[in-house]
Amino acid sequence: MHRKKIGLLAFILVALAQLYVPAKMIIDKELVLHSGKEFKFRTAPVDPNDQFRGKYITLSYSDNVVEVDENEKWNRGENIYALIETDNEGFAFIESVSREKPENSEDYLFTKVQYNGQNKLFVEFPFDRFYMEESKAYDAEMIYRENERDITSTTYALVRIKEGEAVLENVFIDDIPIKDLVEAGR
Amino acid sequence: MNLIKDLPELTQAGVISKETASAIQDFYEKKKNSSNNPLFIIFGILGSILVGLGIILILAHNWDELGRVTKTIIAFVPLVTGQLTCAYVFFKKSNSNAWSESASAFLFIAVGASISLISQIYNIPGNLGSFLLTWSLLCLPLIYLMKSSIASILYLIGITCFACEANYWSSSSNESQWFWFLYLGVLPHYYHLYKNKPISNFMTFHNWIIPISLLIVLGSVAQSTEELLVPAYFSLLGLFYLIGDLEFIRNQKSRNNGYRILSSIGTIGMLLVLSFDWYWDHLKYTNFSFKEFLLAPEFIATAIITILAGGLLVMKFKNSSFNTFKPISFLLLAFIGIFLVGMYSNAAIILINFCVLALGILTIRNGAQQNHLGIMNFGLLIITALVTCRFFDTDLSFVIRGIMFLAVGTGFFSLNYWLLKKRTNHA
């Protein structure tokens, strides 16, 4: 009987751990969605195919670069905090980067150095995948490519940021969500 | 062995009584219907894995009609179903292997499914390495709680992929060192299998997957002195050979002895590659400082494996006579010497060629002694491979190469003829 009790306890602990991991992911992201600040990041997309997670668009960003002091050394893959601000046109850009957590603002990303150019630092944005319904990913890519050629249209990702965490909420072409564009095109 | 077909004949001939015959029949009937029947287990596991994967694929469609909350709840459904099934099996069906293996397989898949579905819902870009690590760790307890071997096999595959992802498939990170601790996590289960089910199918799977996993991941220790990986791999293959010759596995069918097959093929393959001069030329012009050498992870790995293998070798020496000794186990020691020679001179290439030749001849001798055509021809194949490799070395004259091929060809004919004749004479 004693053995059975220990077994039961172990079983419950394992089950809780297995539930905790996905639940923690959800809670973290929901917190950012509810109280994080909204930013628009200018994008340029491509579409690969991940068998395991359905289909998504890979986004790359044009403003993931910041000027840094030439003498300061940053390693590839190093953890950094990137302070995000909004420019006059309403789009997000990196104001500065640091190794220490910024104290005066909540609007920063906890991320990694992509690579170090001459007095320029390229930063990884941890929201480069936008998952679409399987049947829409291909059409979405086509619409994107057309709009990338068209310099009058603007594509951007709507991202919420809070204390290092970021959640990609939606992707827009000229203020219309990409999903709606795909549906309208059918 | 199923005796049922022969029962009437045996009873008629008076070899066994009617009671014994019906007892035997009952025994097989019971065995067929019990849920520990291997077929039940195999189909149960296959079914669970297929259903699990099917659910993942359907959910991966990412239905736009469903809201975020609905999708999130659905992502938990396979996980909770798996947990409830496992709980039921744990408390009510703990004696049934088919139930516990199938339920564990399903839960294993469901854990990975729910994490990746949540990633999809919240557009979290994947870090495959940390995903595999979390997934494997969350399922490690299933091996022991459910006494599940399929969980252990899936776990081994998971951590091996994790080590590959962290090391071979992505830019350098030291995360893959975790693999060694994760690997230790499965060994108690392996020991349990060895103690309780030494000739089961699951034991055989483990006898293959445990060495394969090590063989794949050993290369991930490489940092700046990759040249030292060659002795590390040699020691590992030597260790496998010695393990494959241990009592628990020695008398099993050859195809069940993963250690021995991997080590035989691996050793010969490596020797053949090393019988060319590229590696040795490279080694001679590499200068290690003594300190660098001693602190290199490749050296530490080589040292640990060699000590383990050396221990086994000593144990063998004590327990068995010199005659029953297999030639391959000496190569382990010989290679360390050859490697040291190779750091300073080209003589190592000659020594390696000599080793392959000796291995071939000793294998032929072994085959002849055991009257085993397969082993003898394997020895001949080793020599053929060696000769073929030398064929590509342009510094040997055509005449010498021609004579070498003639000799091996004649050897094939005469040795096979001799062995077959010996058999007919005995018959």
Side-chain angles (χ1 to χ4, degrees), chain B residues 195-206:
Chain B
K195 275 278 166 202
N196 299 306
K197 299 170 187 166
I199 45 169
S200 61
N201 285 331
F202 278 125
M203 182 67 183
T204 305
F205 282 130
H206 278 78

Side-chain angles (χ1 to χ4, degrees), chain A residues 6-21:
Chain A
I6 296 177
L8 175 69
L9 192 69
F11 195 91
I12 291 173
L13 283 177
V14 171
L16 285 178
Q18 288 173 346
L19 291 168
Y20 172 78
V21 171

Side-chain angles (χ1 to χ4, degrees), chain B residues 132-272:
Chain B
L132 287 168
L133 179 64
T134 319
W135 184 6
S136 305
L137 272 179
L138 284 176
C139 293
L140 170 64
L142 293 183
I143 304 174
Y144 298 99
L145 271 176
M146 305 295 295
K147 296 194 186 68
S148 161
S149 291
I150 187 70
S152 155
I153 291 171
L154 292 172
Y155 172 81
L156 276 166
I157 296 174
I159 60 171
T160 308
C161 290
F162 155 71
C164 291
E165 161 63 26
N167 203 284
Y168 304 135
W169 303 333
S170 64
S171 55
S172 63
S173 78
N174 284 328
E175 268 185 358
S176 67
Q177 308 306 338
W178 281 102
F179 169 84
W180 306 104
F181 295 101
L182 299 170
Y183 189 80
L184 290 179
V186 91
L187 296 183
H189 178 72
Y190 190 37
Y191 181 74
H192 170 84
L193 273 180
Y194 155 66
K195 275 278 166 202
N196 299 306
K197 299 170 187 166
I199 45 169
S200 61
N201 285 331
F202 278 125
M203 182 67 183
T204 305
F205 282 130
H206 278 78
N207 286 339
W208 273 98
I209 201 163
I210 287 218
I212 287 178
S213 166
L214 268 189
L215 214 51
I216 293 175
V217 182
L218 179 62
S220 75
V221 300
Q223 274 172 13
S224 54
T225 47
E226 296 109 343
E227 298 80 12
L228 285 176
L229 266 186
V230 170
Y233 265 102
F234 250 100
S235 298
L236 186 66
L237 291 168
L239 179 67
F240 284 173
Y241 194 85
L242 291 165
I243 294 176
D245 212 29
L246 287 177
E247 213 165 314
F248 81 97
I249 197 170
R250 185 173 36 204
N251 296 326
Q252 294 206 20
K253 283 188 199 124
S254 324
R255 67 161 186 272
N256 293 350
N257 194 337
Y259 291 99
R260 191 185 286 165
I261 296 181
L262 287 172
S263 119
S264 304
I265 295 174
T267 310
I268 288 156
M270 278 188 73
L271 280 174
L272 286 173

Side-chain angles (χ1 to χ4, degrees), chain B residues 95 177 285:
Chain B
N95 290 327
Q177 308 306 338
Y285 297 114

Side-chain angles (χ1 to χ4, degrees), chain B residues 304-365:
Chain B
I304 294 174
I305 301 168
T306 311
I307 290 168
L308 283 175
L312 267 182
L313 200 63
V314 171
M315 249 170 61
K316 276 226 145 111
F317 253 130
K318 282 188 178 159
N319 293 337
S320 59
S321 69
F322 199 74
N323 273 342
T324 57
F325 232 69
K326 305 283 186 335
I328 264 191
S329 40
F330 277 115
L331 266 177
L332 168 73
L333 293 175
F335 186 76
I336 296 172
I338 296 174
F339 181 77
L340 292 175
V341 171
M343 288 174 82
Y344 306 100
S345 113
N346 270 341
I349 307 172
I350 300 168
L351 288 172
I352 289 281
N353 276 286
F354 177 75
C355 278
V356 183
L357 186 67
L359 203 65
I361 293 173
L362 287 171
T363 312
I364 293 171
R365 183 173 150 255

